[in-house]
Amino acid sequence: MTMHDLRRFDIVTLGETMLRIVPPPPLRLGQSETLALSFGGAESTVAANLAWLGHRSAWFSRVPDNPLGRQLVRTLRGYGVDCDDVVFDPQARLGLYFVELGPAPRGIQVWYDRKHSAASLMRPEEIPAGWIEQARWLHLTGITPALSDTCAQTTHAALDRARAAGLTVSFDVNYRALLWPPQAAGAALEPLCKAADITFVARRDADALFGIKGEPSDVARTLYGRWGGTVIVTSGEQGAAAYDGTAAYHVDAIPTTLVDRLGAGDAFTSGVIDQLRAGAPLETALRFAAALAAIKLSLSGDIALVTRAEIERVMRDQSALLRR
Amino acid sequence: MTMHDLRRFDIVTLGETMLRIVPPPPLRLGQSETLALSFGGAESTVAANLAWLGHRSAWFSRVPDNPLGRQLVRTLRGYGVDCDDVVFDPQARLGLYFVELGPAPRGIQVWYDRKHSAASLMRPEEIPAGWIEQARWLHLTGITPALSDTCAQTTHAALDRARAAGLTVSFDVNYRALLWPPQAAGAALEPLCKAADITFVARRDADALFGIKGEPSDVARTLYGRWGGTVIVTSGEQGAAAYDGTAAYHVDAIPTTLVDRLGAGDAFTSGVIDQLRAGAPLETALRFAAALAAIKLSLSGDIALVTRAEIERVMRDQSALLRR
Amino acid sequence: MTMHDLRRFDIVTLGETMLRIVPPPPLRLGQSETLALSFGGAESTVAANLAWLGHRSAWFSRVPDNPLGRQLVRTLRGYGVDCDDVVFDPQARLGLYFVELGPAPRGIQVWYDRKHSAASLMRPEEIPAGWIEQARWLHLTGITPALSDTCAQTTHAALDRARAAGLTVSFDVNYRALLWPPQAAGAALEPLCKAADITFVARRDADALFGIKGEPSDVARTLYGRWGGTVIVTSGEQGAAAYDGTAAYHVDAIPTTLVDRLGAGDAFTSGVIDQLRAGAPLETALRFAAALAAIKLSLSGDIALVTRAEIERVMRDQSALLRR
Amino acid sequence: MTMHDLRRFDIVTLGETMLRIVPPPPLRLGQSETLALSFGGAESTVAANLAWLGHRSAWFSRVPDNPLGRQLVRTLRGYGVDCDDVVFDPQARLGLYFVELGPAPRGIQVWYDRKHSAASLMRPEEIPAGWIEQARWLHLTGITPALSDTCAQTTHAALDRARAAGLTVSFDVNYRALLWPPQAAGAALEPLCKAADITFVARRDADALFGIKGEPSDVARTLYGRWGGTVIVTSGEQGAAAYDGTAAYHVDAIPTTLVDRLGAGDAFTSGVIDQLRAGAPLETALRFAAALAAIKLSLSGDIALVTRAEIERVMRDQSALLRR
Amino acid sequence: MTMHDLRRFDIVTLGETMLRIVPPPPLRLGQSETLALSFGGAESTVAANLAWLGHRSAWFSRVPDNPLGRQLVRTLRGYGVDCDDVVFDPQARLGLYFVELGPAPRGIQVWYDRKHSAASLMRPEEIPAGWIEQARWLHLTGITPALSDTCAQTTHAALDRARAAGLTVSFDVNYRALLWPPQAAGAALEPLCKAADITFVARRDADALFGIKGEPSDVARTLYGRWGGTVIVTSGEQGAAAYDGTAAYHVDAIPTTLVDRLGAGDAFTSGVIDQLRAGAPLETALRFAAALAAIKLSLSGDIALVTRAEIERVMRDQSALLRR
Amino acid sequence: MTMHDLRRFDIVTLGETMLRIVPPPPLRLGQSETLALSFGGAESTVAANLAWLGHRSAWFSRVPDNPLGRQLVRTLRGYGVDCDDVVFDPQARLGLYFVELGPAPRGIQVWYDRKHSAASLMRPEEIPAGWIEQARWLHLTGITPALSDTCAQTTHAALDRARAAGLTVSFDVNYRALLWPPQAAGAALEPLCKAADITFVARRDADALFGIKGEPSDVARTLYGRWGGTVIVTSGEQGAAAYDGTAAYHVDAIPTTLVDRLGAGDAFTSGVIDQLRAGAPLETALRFAAALAAIKLSLSGDIALVTRAEIERVMRDQSALLRR
């Protein structure tokens, strides 16, 4: 029996997933009488991406016990995410957000309506004993601690349990300016960055929260000095950089067609985790992640409904061929 | 100069209007990836129906200062409702509800997500001086007092100002079981019923809130004994009855095709008000209202996009003719 | 060489076909931001129905030389209608009509915008020599003479040429109240009724135009007395009756689901012509036509996209079986 | 540890699931340029219905390793069906069928294109050791043996293994006339009926395959004489009957709105199994199943996306109430 | 009481608004069975744009008294345009146009069907006394005089009344080649250009109608020499230029995504008027107008559903940021 | 009587046409619940393109006798293609393919499900006597011989009959890698290339099948050496080249917007044939073909619904002008 089989999950994660409501592009919110419904949440998106790539992932949250909460779980479970421990709340609401996928110069706009959500009521003691301990990897983001005090407590409790049980821990800073001010976020999140084995941070968040400016490679190096571990700095069309104390890597963004920006960061994160779990070198992980993010940007929806073969094809840069 | 011109509005009303989200029938909520967006609120629906029939109506509420709040106001203003005094709230959310228009035996189902809405923050002092005083008719419903303390205060303040300024006041009990228990509702709403000139109450609400059972005509008579004024009791497919202390009237429901039940009660109310404002006898008002409600049931959306000629044609029972 | 091959067409017809614009039911015209486009015209619908059933039919008209005119011809040609002699007009517009397929009590409503159309400019001399003479049957309706003087002349010229060349002539009164008053229509159309071998008339038109009231069978008998030939009187849900001087027949309407009423009369007419051309007895023709009309009522669009096997199945009353 | 936990699955089933392609009603196949995609297969539908009601169900089949095969598995897994042992075939195609949901008199029509499908290549040895043995119930249908010799062998092998491991076995005759003639089907399926604990058979199939005519109750009694076990005879709008050697039960069909007939039989079967697994009396099982089937008929798609609470509400006949 | 309050309207305008019918891109007209309905007219678009930005605007026209005419008025009134004086015509038709929004190399194509429209029957005496006199600004275009003699008379009468009452007058040449030849248009429109305070003219129209070629700045200067006032010359992707006798200004076009070209010129005009009414310098007005036009090009529909904050954000060139 | 009239068809062709199923872009196959249906086949697309441009074209194939087969024929006949000799097969299936029109880096992907199709059962003896002999041009492709032995025989028989009857023969290599390996294809198709008067081959197919690399002009020249006739080598965005033994021509690809790549090659082929049939020089034919292909790339669907005037406008490079 291999190590793989000794634990129940390859990766576990927790956080809020919301109803995502989008008028059909290029219509504006406020201009359309038809809306497309899907679900979006950074952590469950990573869980779904990794499940689709073959990892045994699990997600913990609170969702309302109504048709929308059940549709959300049905969606994630379809991708292969284990949702057996999600708490169904008969009272609370599903957080939601409206998105307008406007082409330039309008750009994408997001209106949140997420206060008082079921997920914001998450409590540490609701995560079953063993759920974290029987996994090999825990992924957290900086969104959850901003949702409520109990969500912050849940994040820290999960982290502590993961450390105690020897899991690898990844943390995505994922700063949400509409939830809290940068100073508060920086102060709250830096301990999580330090405790994680791998930290993902957008270049502009490194500036806003931690006051670190510069090229992604320089930012990664500087943050490594503060946090240790592996620091990965993403910078949209400027690509991404990583530093792990031994070597610095940079990957360019792959040219793509912008269909839906939401979920691209989570696709990148998922790509890195997929590769590191398989023992790939950090440089390969960045290249794989960049390909996955590029494909995701050309897709509708947060989740990257992409096969490994397609990612590898884009890495080989043969995307434009028509096979028939 | 006529009496008509001396006051700014024919009818004013206030209350909450929500975003209404419906999967395309016969799909279920939780089964569809597309949703239809519209807006629904008992009071603004009455205002829109009456504006469309030619009355100068106005609506007061709080709505969020975002694309959805503006779309809501745009919709109502399009029908001719004066929304110039609506308060735009830069912080609060728009209440919303999900509706599944399921054919039998599923039936219609509604899931509310209306807590913490902008409208629930309405305050009496926000209604501008003169807004009520320059109108001829005030319409209120029993939904508003259930939303919050300030909403209850706003309802009572509006009623007091209307009484002081000599407006006709209509009140629709419109009990919402998901907002408050029947005893509390009955206690809170009976003073409003007594203060109104015309009260609308569904037969099942008369039972649940006031313990009055029986045929609609009997219920109307009994409630008249408690409240005075004109009492109109609606009973869906059983039609409606009215009693005003002098005579009892009953109108049968007109056969129709059930497309969308929401707004049918408001259409009935609008029909009665339209006719009474024009000086029609109560019996005619009920017949007109029943025709408008029957057409509304065959229409999508809360608002009755119907012309007076169409209502009169249904009253003459010539609906089935194809003219070309 | 068979008789069949001696003439170029089995049936020819001429008239106006319009762009038909319909909001998706149950939405109202004026309530929808999406419209469905199709084409409708009594004569081309008969031509398409008969072509689909295997007859070599042809249609003559004027249509604008623009994408809509070409789409119209493409649609008819797809069903097998020969449109090679249709005149393309680079200047004139395509007549159009808006339809609201409202369920009861709204009912169906039609708004025409057909004045100044290309078809109304049709002239007798535009019908090529031989086009009628090489056919075996001519079908005309009472709509065309109402469109313009030149259209009336074209109708009469076609009739005269058909009589001269020995074609069978059918005529559908098809009174359009929005085009002309009943007296004028009656006076103008009665000569055509007399000249035709087979006349179709709706019971209400027999009353409005010719002052003949009564049961369909009686009306048919009376009109036979005035016109001779074969008179077929249709009466919607009351079925249809026919009289040809020898025997009277009646057929009940077949129960159906009302999806789209437009084109049902043309389907009935097509069914009769199909059967009479095949030498079937008049009674069989009525039964076949009633089945085709019943199926058409359950279909969207004017044209009856129906196979002979399906018609025969409905005639055998086995419609409800699911075969799989 | 409870009995429940000793086995891996509550119920297992196997068979073909196809791509289901439907033009949007009331459009015909051949009339629409848009199609709705879903998936349908009797066995996986039962598995999904039961998973949605809380049973741990699993499904075995072969599906193509392409986006459609993966979407199919994603759909079933979303409902909670364990698909971990489904064989992905890189070569074979997904069977498919086109459905026209025509209102009367058209009725529903189905065109199959299922030959050479991946599922028809299913082989007995592909079902993993233990997969059946670790379950408590096996459900089979008479469709699978008709697909191919290897499918027939797989059905029999599964049955034998289930008998050996002490599972309850249910069998749904589900005769498909387009796959094989009634005599061949009757001969092939009767051994399976005899071997099953519970057999479902449509009244018309009892006649066509086994020559048994009569009222459902009589048919059930007669077939019980031949097969033993529990025999359940369904008869659409005439309801269903059951006989288990001790008592005969009959349940009326519940009035419903026909939206989509496909899957109604599977919903009925699922309802019976759900109840019998919970130890309910046969009569209760029939009533529960009839309610579930009635709701399913009012739903789009084969799978019954219905909650237990909704079924119980329909059993209490309170479907028409609007709660808000 | 401020100056603002002394007059009833900030800006009034008059002209034709048509039904706009568009197949969903990238489908062709003639290729789609679904069409999107909206309304378009240069003057009402300016009125709606300005009302949405907070100005009290009013529009005069004739529209048919049918569901489409009422939907048109409902749409404009929703944006805040006062339509109380629009004449409803029970007989006349609504002009319409079909648009194909084809990507390059197809490009946008327009087919008009606007002859005999209600708007073309507009007459000077239908504009109520005081309607112009109680406004502060009149906006006219060169489309209206091309529609009919009475429309030309109405344009001139409006201009004369505005001059007499001291309004600011803006005029947009807006040459429509399908309505009249350039010589006739030039002769008819030049007096209006001379009488206006502010004239908008496209560079290619300056050439076609007035024979003035050159860079926009040069054209503006030359036309100022002929007309005086303020001359604004637009040149699509080359930006726009203005000359008012004191200084010349030029503004570049802002990079945008072409979604719908129609209405971009009206958005530009609206932007200039918005700013000039607020007392902004001409240069600022051009920059604001260029931003509004750029956003409009990325939007569906003629009307610019845009907030002032969004325009200012684009002026600051921060369009690409995602805020969440 | 002119030469034109002496033969029944201007051009005949034969081959398979499949049902084409596409999720609405940018959705993936496997991500959408809605699909767009159309039909695609290289030969019938050429026939439709040429019919639309005014040629009398005819197509031969086998199609299933079901609603989809009839819809296919209806579609082609609408464009003007004579389908009177198509064989309707009551048993066989319609081949189909799923297409995902993914933007880069996804690119277009095609999944075929075409085995066992009706078309693959085509037999030489089914082409009626005279059908080829009464035409002036035969067009064949290298797809048909790959479908089945009888299809290969049919191709060769058609070619032989055309040669015998003096038709011009064009052949499009159109290599389909999913149907057969390049060596087999090269060996099977080269005799057809040699026998044709005009051969179309993609640059990459020239390499894969015949081992000829290089610039299109060089490839054309080399292949001319092997095959004679006129050789046209297409190379997507690199344009196309031709050599006919006298002179070499090259045409650049025209800038376009990629909406749907499928059918672009057939549009190019159609453009060449259209011009050569009209006696245009080869260079003009290439330019016309390039314009038609560029427009087609900006269109949905395989068939080029384009007018000659539009092609000529693009040749004149005036595509960007808006005329209204």
Side-chain angles (χ1 to χ4, degrees), chain D residues 44-59:
Chain D
S44 63
T45 297
V46 169
N49 290 346
L50 288 169
W52 198 243
L53 289 172
H55 305 261
R56 297 169 308 150
S57 70
W59 175 70

Side-chain angles (χ1 to χ4, degrees), chain E residues 141-205:
Chain E
T141 81
I143 302 170
T144 316
L147 299 180
S148 68
D149 286 349
T150 62
C151 282
Q153 293 157 13
T154 307
T155 305
H156 283 281
L159 178 65
D160 293 346
R161 286 167 56 180
R163 296 274 68 149
L167 282 74
T168 303
V169 175
S170 54
F171 180 71
D172 185 352
V173 169
N174 231 333
Y175 173 59
R176 291 288 186 267
L178 297 178
L179 292 179
W180 50 355
Q183 296 81 346
L189 300 183
E190 188 143 26
L192 295 159
C193 297
K194 288 178 178 167
D197 299 296
I198 300 151
T199 305
F200 298 87
V201 60
R203 185 190 185 183
R204 67 168 181 273
D205 293 350

Side-chain angles (χ1 to χ4, degrees), chain E residues 271-286 288 308:
Chain E
V272 169
I273 296 175
D274 172 85
Q275 292 293 299
L276 295 185
R277 282 207 69 248
L282 186 50
E283 185 172 12
T284 305
L286 293 182
F288 185 89
R308 191 174 297 278

Side-chain angles (χ1 to χ4, degrees), chain E residues 30-46:
Chain E
Q31 193 183 32
S32 174
E33 299 187 346
T34 306
L35 299 167
L37 168 160
S38 63
F39 298 97
E43 301 86 359
S44 64
T45 297
V46 169

Side-chain angles (χ1 to χ4, degrees), chain C:
Chain C
M1 188 175 273
T2 66
M3 194 63 185
H4 183 275
D5 297 312
L6 285 176
R7 300 214 173 183
R8 182 175 166 208
F9 301 121
D10 293 331
I11 180 162
V12 293
T13 184
L14 59 88
E16 174 163 34
T17 299
M18 293 180 283
L19 179 61
R20 164 184 160 155
I21 303 181
V22 190
L27 292 183
R28 307 210 72 173
L29 185 68
Q31 193 184 31
S32 174
E33 299 187 345
T34 307
L35 299 168
L37 169 161
S38 62
F39 298 97
E43 302 86 358
S44 64
T45 297
V46 169
N49 291 346
L50 288 169
W52 197 243
L53 289 172
H55 304 261
R56 298 170 305 151
S57 70
W59 175 70
F60 176 79
S61 191
R62 269 182 102 86
V63 303
D65 187 16
N66 66 23
L68 295 167
R70 290 189 290 269
Q71 186 176 9
L72 156 56
V73 166
R74 194 151 53 90
T75 299
L76 293 175
R77 208 160 47 189
Y79 282 94
V81 179
D82 187 303
C83 299
D84 286 359
D85 294 284
V86 166
V87 177
F88 280 90
D89 183 324
Q91 305 298 336
R93 65 185 294 264
L94 187 61
L96 49 90
Y97 60 117
F98 299 91
V99 183
E100 177 179 321
L101 297 170
R106 278 195 279 145
I108 190 171
Q109 281 189 271
V110 178
W111 292 265
Y112 285 114
D113 177 9
R114 65 192 299 175
K115 278 189 195 161
H116 312 289
S117 69
S120 72
L121 305 177
M122 227 186 301
R123 292 194 313 270
E125 61 272 26
E126 291 175 335
I127 307 180
W131 190 79
I132 290 174
E133 290 73 10
Q134 291 176 11
R136 303 186 60 78
W137 189 298
L138 171 70
H139 179 66
L140 298 169
T141 81
I143 302 170
T144 316
L147 299 180
S148 69
D149 286 348
T150 60
C151 283
Q153 293 157 12
T154 307
T155 305
H156 283 281
L159 178 65
D160 293 345
R161 285 168 56 180
R163 296 275 68 149
L167 282 74
T168 303
V169 175
S170 54
F171 181 71
D172 185 352
V173 169
N174 231 333
Y175 173 58
R176 291 288 186 267
L178 297 178
L179 291 179
W180 50 356
Q183 295 82 347
L189 300 183
E190 187 142 28
L192 295 159
C193 298
K194 289 179 176 165
D197 298 295
I198 299 150
T199 304
F200 299 87
V201 61
R203 186 191 186 184
R204 68 168 180 274
D205 292 350
D207 181 8
L209 270 62
F210 309 111
I212 313 295
K213 288 187 202 315
E215 287 303 301
S217 308
D218 300 333
V219 174
R221 212 174 274 266
T222 306
L223 288 174
Y224 173 81
R226 282 165 72 156
W227 302 339
T230 299
V231 176
I232 299 174
V233 177
T234 58
S235 188
E237 297 178 8
Q238 284 80 47
Y243 189 71
D244 62 2
T246 60
Y249 305 99
H250 180 269
V251 63
D252 287 332
I254 292 179
T256 188
T257 308
L258 178 54
V259 167
D260 182 350
R261 182 179 298 189
L262 300 184
D266 300 322
F268 185 88
T269 299
S270 306
V272 168
I273 295 174
D274 172 85
Q275 291 293 299
L276 295 186
R277 283 208 68 248
L282 186 51
E283 185 172 13
T284 304
L286 292 182
R287 287 184 52 240
F288 185 89
L292 181 51
I295 300 174
K296 162 54 208 105
L297 285 161
S298 77
L299 286 180
S300 287
D302 287 57
I303 297 174
L305 182 68
V306 181
T307 63
R308 191 174 296 278
E310 289 170 325
I311 301 168
E312 291 167 353
R313 185 167 57 80
V314 169
M315 289 175 79
R316 291 191 310 269
D317 197 14
Q318 299 177 335
S319 64
L321 294 185
L322 163 61
R323 294 171 307 129
R324 64 178 181 182

Side-chain angles (χ1 to χ4, degrees), chain D residues 30 33 35 37 74 93 113, chain F residues 30 33 35 37 74 93 113:
Chain D
E33 300 187 345
L35 299 167
L37 168 161
R74 195 151 53 90
R93 66 186 292 265
D113 177 9
Chain F
E33 300 187 345
L35 299 167
L37 168 161
R74 194 151 53 90
R93 67 186 293 265
D113 177 9

